[in-house]
Amino acid sequence: MMVSCSAVGAGQDTVAPSIVNVEVDAGRTMGSYKNVWGYFGADEPNYTYSPNGKTLLHELAGFGAAPVYVRLHNQLTTGDGTGSLKWGSTNVYREDAQGRPVYDWTITDKIFDALRDAGVQPLVEVGFMPEALSTHPEPYRHSFPDGDVFTGWSYPPKDYDKWSALVTEWVKHLRDRYGEAAEREWLWEVWNEPDIPYWHGTPEEYDRLYDVTAAAIQKVLPEAKIGGPEATGVGPGKSEAFLRQFLEHCSRGKNFATGGTGAPLAFISFHPKGAPKWVDGHVRMDMGHQLRATELGMKVVASYPEWKKTPIILGESDPEGCAACKGPQNGYRNGPLYGVSVAEAIARQNELAAKYGVTLQGAVTWALEFEDQPLFAGFRELATGGKANGVSYLVDKPVLNVFRMMGMLGGDYVAVSSTGALPLKQVVDESVRGSDDVNAAATRNGRELDVLLWNYHDDDASAKAANVRLVVTGVPVGSQVKVREYLMDAEHSNAYAAWQKMGSPAAPSAKQFRELQRAAELEHVDVATAMKNGRIELPVTLERQGVMLIKASW
């Protein structure tokens, strides 16, 4: 978890304050730090076992000691395993001429082996519908971005007994191959966004699918942690109504599989998204849009006493809704704005969880990497890549360095305040359109203090940098303090900027790829400092859309 401190009464000035005072009390703990950012996902499961996919998974697993989870669509979709934008397949199920099931675990093993070998945990999404089981199988594979995406894979099963048998056999296979972790550590869920055409069925039909699927999973793994419904980012009307009816069903409805009352629900999931636009020649984000969806979903959960303490996973928490879509409004994805928006969103979502007394377990960033696409093509991804002389190269985007910095947080939260932080209500209601939000979070782990600072604004436009005066108290008097500063902004830890300076080559040479990989690394400098009267004071300049981690040890 990452918690920021919002300054009550901060105004919406058009000019950043001359000095932002950030005060950290290293001796005042505020509860254990919890990693809610370590969740990632993608539509395209087959990319996970490509060379670059495997490299990225290993990188994610190396960010801090907390577990990292990966959520993937198309786990049961029919096909030959060839990936494309918003598509993937495993071909786990087909039928012979007599209609008998034929199971094939070849491709699914490649996916889960890649996750296991990297040391990440699956958030197993049970879906989508195999062609042989779909009530409306034709057409089946879509041709994004042309035509309808929600084809035969998005329909209910024509035979729930066969669907149940498929899930049972698949889970048995996963248990036998991957052991107790499938029950003890993995998370399980049913489908994706069933309140929109990802599911061509009624809410009641989804409840039936959920019950039958959950029963099949727990037949093999009785203690499996199953959740849902992964509804779209909750807004007034249909999506809110869908979430409410699902929670009602899990509380008091008749279970379609067991005939009993209610259904298992280990976590509750929904999807808050932003809504960026292209305005006056630049991208303008809408953090408020994303946070209002977060807030409404949390209010819904908090309104049910029986579910208020059930963990919430924001199953897709992103600045907008389509990772594979391009356009000028999505131009933030290659540069530092994507990274600082993640820091801002997670901090504010934690504040909303505290406001409503709910438990935020995770926020899934719906981004991994795409194969066979141009370098820095503008997709929402953590890294981009290509080949030179037959060798694959993965180039981390600036956003990945923000996750690296968040991965250094740990231990206990400590008290922090910033005079540049905007009030939570203002950010939710109005987004960040006037003053920059210059905010901070801090943790202490033994004799190490980590302070995360960020300077966020919706507008990806130039502005005055924030001059920050960081004051740290609570470090034992007489300590010899070492300080290291890590920075991601327009000029630092930014492979996209380096690529542009190269002339934006479409096909970099091997030497250029290596240069880009070096530019993508998280930059740091060691800073000379000393304690005075029990205080550490550091002056910091932080550009708009910049994120800095200050690590002090003694």
Side-chain angles (χ1 to χ4, degrees), residues 68-254:
V68 168
Y69 284 88
V70 170
R71 175 176 184 251
L72 300 167
H73 289 346
N74 292 298
Q75 297 267 22
L76 302 179
T77 305
T78 300
D80 63 3
T82 302
S84 61
L85 298 179
K86 294 186 72 68
W87 179 262
S89 60
T90 60
N91 218 43
V92 296
Y93 182 90
R94 63 186 189 274
E95 294 180 356
D96 65 16
Q98 288 72 45
R100 293 172 298 198
V102 178
Y103 303 118
D104 186 345
W105 314 124
T106 304
I107 297 174
T108 199
D109 285 351
K110 292 181 180 180
I111 296 168
F112 282 88
D113 283 358
L115 300 180
R116 176 200 60 196
D117 294 346
V120 302
Q121 302 294 343
L123 199 175
V124 186
E125 179 188 311
V126 184
F128 296 119
M129 195 56 59
E131 186 173 16
L133 282 179
S134 174
T135 54
H136 189 89
E138 297 181 357
Y140 190 75
R141 178 167 180 169
H142 63 69
S143 55
F144 178 85
D146 302 315
D148 184 13
V149 171
F150 304 111
T151 48
W153 55 266
S154 62
Y155 285 80
K158 63 184 181 183
D159 187 322
Y160 277 89
D161 289 338
K162 286 185 175 181
W163 169 261
S164 175
L166 164 61
V167 175
T168 300
E169 292 304 314
W170 186 46
V171 175
K172 281 182 181 177
H173 174 77
L174 294 173
R175 178 203 60 193
D176 292 345
R177 188 174 182 87
Y178 304 103
E180 294 182 1
E183 185 167 28
R184 188 180 65 254
E185 299 170 4
W186 294 10
L187 301 173
W188 299 79
E189 62 181 6
V190 182
W191 218 257
N192 177 69
E193 297 184 344
D195 54 319
I196 64 172
Y198 268 95
W199 175 248
H200 275 94
T202 65
E204 183 180 58
E205 287 173 317
Y206 172 75
D207 295 343
R208 181 182 181 187
L209 184 82
Y210 185 89
D211 292 349
V212 171
T213 305
I217 295 170
Q218 292 191 328
K219 180 179 179 181
V220 182
L221 305 172
E223 302 301 319
K225 294 178 280 292
I226 305 168
E230 295 288 357
T232 51
V234 182
K238 180 181 177 182
S239 56
E240 178 184 355
F242 187 95
L243 179 57
R244 287 191 177 278
Q245 74 80 30
F246 175 74
L247 295 177
E248 291 279 354
H249 172 74
C250 291
S251 294
R252 291 173 283 278
K254 181 178 180 180

Side-chain angles (χ1 to χ4, degrees), residues 247-412:
L247 295 177
E248 291 279 354
H249 172 74
C250 291
S251 294
R252 291 173 283 278
K254 181 178 180 180
N255 190 292
F256 287 92
T258 67
T261 300
L265 187 61
F267 61 88
I268 299 165
S269 52
F270 57 91
H271 298 174
K273 303 277 188 174
K277 294 181 175 61
W278 185 254
V279 178
D280 297 331
H282 67 270
V283 176
R284 172 174 287 171
M285 308 294 275
D286 194 343
M287 181 62 61
H289 190 279
Q290 185 176 357
L291 295 176
R292 288 190 292 276
T294 303
E295 182 173 40
L296 181 54
M298 289 180 173
K299 287 173 69 174
V300 169
V301 173
S303 70
Y304 291 87
E306 66 270 40
W307 299 123
K308 186 174 181 178
K309 297 302 180 183
T310 301
I312 293 172
I313 295 178
L314 305 177
E316 296 177 23
S317 180
D318 300 294
E320 35 69 33
C322 177
C325 298
K326 295 190 290 183
Q329 75 279 7
N330 295 326
Y332 72 91
R333 295 163 163 182
N334 289 326
L337 177 52
Y338 186 13
V340 69
S341 74
V342 171
E344 175 78 7
I346 289 176
R348 299 305 190 165
Q349 287 164 341
N350 276 314
E351 289 184 76
L352 288 170
K355 176 181 177 180
Y356 290 100
V358 297
T359 302
L360 179 59
Q361 177 174 333
V364 178
T365 293
W366 199 252
L368 287 174
E369 64 98 18
F370 292 92
E371 292 290 310
D372 304 317
Q373 298 295 332
L375 197 67
F376 294 107
F379 298 112
R380 193 174 70 235
E381 57 190 347
L382 303 177
T384 185
K387 291 184 178 180
N389 301 327
V391 177
S392 294
Y393 291 89
L394 186 71
V395 179
D396 294 345
K397 287 188 172 182
V399 62
L400 208 54
N401 283 318
V402 176
F403 286 111
R404 285 191 173 92
M405 286 186 267
M406 291 194 292
M408 296 184 199
L409 300 173
D412 293 316

Side-chain angles (χ1 to χ4, degrees), residues 29-73:
T29 59
M30 307 291 288
S32 297
Y33 171 77
K34 182 181 178 184
N35 161 25
V36 303
W37 53 264
Y39 292 71
F40 303 90
D43 293 73
E44 303 84 7
N46 306 100
Y47 294 163
T48 57
Y49 53 85
S50 70
N52 281 343
K54 290 180 178 180
T55 298
L56 179 59
L57 290 176
H58 277 85
E59 287 190 60
L60 297 179
F63 294 172
V68 168
Y69 284 88
V70 170
R71 175 176 184 251
L72 300 167
H73 289 346

Side-chain angles (χ1 to χ4, degrees), residues 329-503:
Q329 75 279 7
N330 295 326
Y332 72 91
R333 295 163 163 182
N334 289 326
L337 177 52
Y338 186 13
V340 69
S341 74
V342 171
E344 175 78 7
I346 289 176
R348 299 305 190 165
Q349 287 164 341
N350 276 314
E351 289 184 76
L352 288 170
K355 176 181 177 180
Y356 290 100
V358 297
T359 302
L360 179 59
Q361 177 174 333
V364 178
T365 293
W366 199 252
L368 287 174
E369 64 98 18
F370 292 92
E371 292 290 310
D372 304 317
Q373 298 295 332
L375 197 67
F376 294 107
F379 298 112
R380 193 174 70 235
E381 57 190 347
L382 303 177
T384 185
K387 291 184 178 180
N389 301 327
V391 177
S392 294
Y393 291 89
L394 186 71
V395 179
D396 294 345
K397 287 188 172 182
V399 62
L400 208 54
N401 283 318
V402 176
F403 286 111
R404 285 191 173 92
M405 286 186 267
M406 291 194 292
M408 296 184 199
L409 300 173
D412 293 316
Y413 282 110
V414 295
V416 58
S417 65
S418 170
T419 59
L422 302 179
L424 174 63
K425 186 177 188 303
Q426 178 177 309
V427 177
V428 172
D429 292 346
E430 305 171 25
S431 204
V432 184
R433 301 289 169 83
S435 298
D436 293 5
D437 191 24
V438 184
N439 217 330
T443 60
R444 178 176 175 177
N445 193 354
R447 293 184 291 175
E448 179 180 305
L449 175 73
D450 292 290
V451 183
L452 191 72
L453 301 172
W454 63 94
N455 182 352
Y456 173 79
H457 196 281
D458 275 359
D459 287 307
D460 197 16
S462 60
K464 287 182 61 176
N467 295 311
V468 178
R469 180 169 57 221
L470 175 65
V471 176
V472 177
T473 59
V475 176
V477 175
S479 299
Q480 297 295 314
V481 180
K482 297 179 180 180
V483 174
R484 175 169 288 183
E485 295 177 352
Y486 300 83
L487 178 62
M488 184 286 301
D489 64 12
E491 297 296 328
H492 301 86
S493 311
N494 188 337
Y496 181 57
W499 180 69
Q500 290 177 308
K501 290 175 182 177
M502 282 182 181

